[in-house]
Structures are given as C-alpha cells and as structure tokens.
Amino acid sequence: MKKCTAGMFSKIVVILLFAAFFLPMTGLFLYLAVFDPALSHEGRLLFFAGAILFGGLVVFAAYRGLYLGIGWAEYDAETVIFHCSRREQHRFRWDDIPGDRVQAGPWQGGYMFMLLVGGQQRKVGFSRFSAGFKDFERTMESAGVLKRIGITTAEDFKRSAEQIFGQFEEYRKTRPGSVRPKPEGDCVLCPDCKGEGITAKRVLKLDIGKVCKTCGGSGYVPKQP
C-alpha cells in the first residue's frame, strides 16, 4: 500500500522550533529559578512554573514524535488505514468517507479526517507539505471523496468551463446579433477572454459565464497601431 506521512519540511520546522525556543526556555527558566539570588519567593515560583510548562511541552513532543509517532495513512484504490499512532490504527473504505465513523474537510491547504472511536474523536491531518500528498489527493478524487465533501477539483472546473463555453457557442448560433461581430481589419484575440467571448466567474461555488465586456462577445479586439 502507498503512504502519506509528515513531510521532511514540517519535521525540520518542528524540531527547530523546539530546539531553538522551547528547550532553551526550559533551561533558562530552571536556571533562574535555582541560581538567581535576587529573585523573590514569588518570582522563583513563577520561573519554576515556566520551566515546568515549557519542559512539559518538550517531553510531550518527544513522547509523541519518538514513541507514538505522528499520524499517517496507508491506502490503495479502495481502502485507507489511518494510523493515529504506532499503537492505534483504523481502516475504512473510501466509499464510507464521509460517514458515521469518519468525517473529512479542508485543512491548511490539505485535508483533516476526524475519526469517531469509542465515543472519542481522533484527528489525522495531511497538508501539501506531507510526503506523498499529491498521489493521496488524486486517490481521494478518484474515489469520489472530494466531491462528497464539497470540494471542486480541477477536472470538475474544466468540465464546467467547457459546458459554459459550449452553451455560449449555441447561444451565438441561435442569436447571431446578440454579441458584437468580429472587428474589421487587423485584430487580435481578446486578452481577457482569450478569444472565447465569455469569461467564467466563481459565485457561491457556481461557475457563472458572462459576455466579455472587453470584446463584447466577439473574442477579438482591434489591433493597436
């Protein structure tokens, strides 16, 4: 089976964040709480609390990343296995997503899957920085998941645009006087509609075709001297 896992870029960013900020802050707060003689009792307690807070984040990140592992997915054309950790995994058919046990939606340029397990919710997210994301997204598209969660794919947009242009051509044939005729003399393709005569705009998730205002629907404009 193929895999979609956390990308190297994301791992490097997280490691640098903890190595350059959380870990040094833990050491600094602990040092000040123990060795700074000018601190009051309240200040010493405050720095101890800060050391515990930042240290807890470092310990949790190490436990999650090194022991449990970061969430990933294994998949083929029919099935996907979400690994919430190295000790917990859940298998679903693509046809069952979304469903009663798993929901999906857009998230940070990628997709978030929310699994309902024993009354609790597990989240597994994949962004464009994830390794193997493009193939994972293509598999979701082929399985119909993207359409079921209301995401318009590039192929859907292309088919919609082709339908709009086809309808406009029929409109031009049945009503030849409704659009501006091709200019006489030297002319070039309209820069706004690229010779199509109409422009497609996205309104409330629908593709709306309008006659191009620049060329009036002819698809051409006079060539500038």
Side-chain angles (χ1 to χ4, degrees):
M1 302 181 76
K2 299 178 181 179
K3 290 185 179 182
C4 185
T5 63
M8 185 58 64
F9 176 78
S10 300
K11 293 179 181 178
I12 292 175
V13 170
V14 172
I15 291 173
L16 288 178
L17 177 63
F18 278 88
F21 180 75
F22 289 107
L23 190 58
M25 290 299 291
T26 301
L28 176 62
F29 278 33
L30 187 60
Y31 174 83
L32 292 175
V34 174
F35 297 105
D36 191 345
L39 281 178
S40 64
H41 179 69
E42 291 77 8
R44 203 174 300 278
L45 290 177
L46 183 63
F47 278 111
F48 266 125
I52 293 173
L53 175 62
F54 287 110
L57 290 174
V58 172
V59 171
F60 174 78
Y63 173 76
R64 177 69 193 186
L66 301 178
Y67 180 70
L68 291 181
I70 303 173
W72 76 95
E74 292 183 277
Y75 64 95
D76 55 24
E78 298 180 354
T79 306
V80 58
I81 304 174
F82 295 109
H83 295 263
C84 300
S85 69
R86 292 191 178 97
R87 304 174 61 182
E88 181 182 357
Q89 64 183 40
H90 304 279
R91 179 187 296 266
F92 298 94
R93 290 179 55 83
W94 286 118
D95 293 341
D96 297 329
I97 302 176
D100 296 335
R101 296 178 55 209
V102 56
Q103 293 293 318
W107 172 76
Q108 296 184 2
Y111 308 98
M112 175 66 73
F113 295 87
M114 290 159 285
L115 320 178
L116 186 62
V117 182
Q120 297 182 341
Q121 193 178 77
R122 301 284 192 272
K123 294 183 179 181
V124 184
F126 304 93
S127 71
R128 299 193 179 278
F129 294 107
S130 300
F133 177 80
K134 290 185 177 180
D135 187 80
F136 184 71
E137 186 177 44
R138 284 194 295 267
T139 302
M140 290 177 61
E141 181 178 355
S142 300
V145 175
L146 298 186
K147 183 176 293 186
R148 289 195 292 272
I149 63 178
I151 295 178
T152 302
T153 63
E155 188 63 29
D156 291 335
F157 182 81
K158 181 181 178 181
R159 285 195 296 266
S160 179
E162 290 175 348
Q163 183 179 9
I164 291 173
F165 293 139
Q167 292 172 350
F168 181 72
E169 287 298 325
E170 291 295 327
Y171 180 82
R172 292 178 66 178
K173 291 178 182 179
T174 56
R175 296 176 176 82
S178 60
V179 296
R180 187 185 306 167
K182 181 179 179 180
E184 296 181 359
D186 292 338
C187 55
V188 294
L189 291 179
C190 174
D192 291 339
C193 67
K194 304 299 188 295
E196 298 291 347
I198 62 172
T199 55
K201 292 186 177 180
R202 192 73 169 166
V203 180
L204 297 177
K205 296 186 178 181
L206 296 175
D207 296 318
I208 306 298
K210 293 185 177 181
V211 175
C212 178
K213 294 182 180 180
T214 304
C215 66
S218 68
Y220 295 88
V221 293
K223 186 176 182 180
Q224 297 296 328

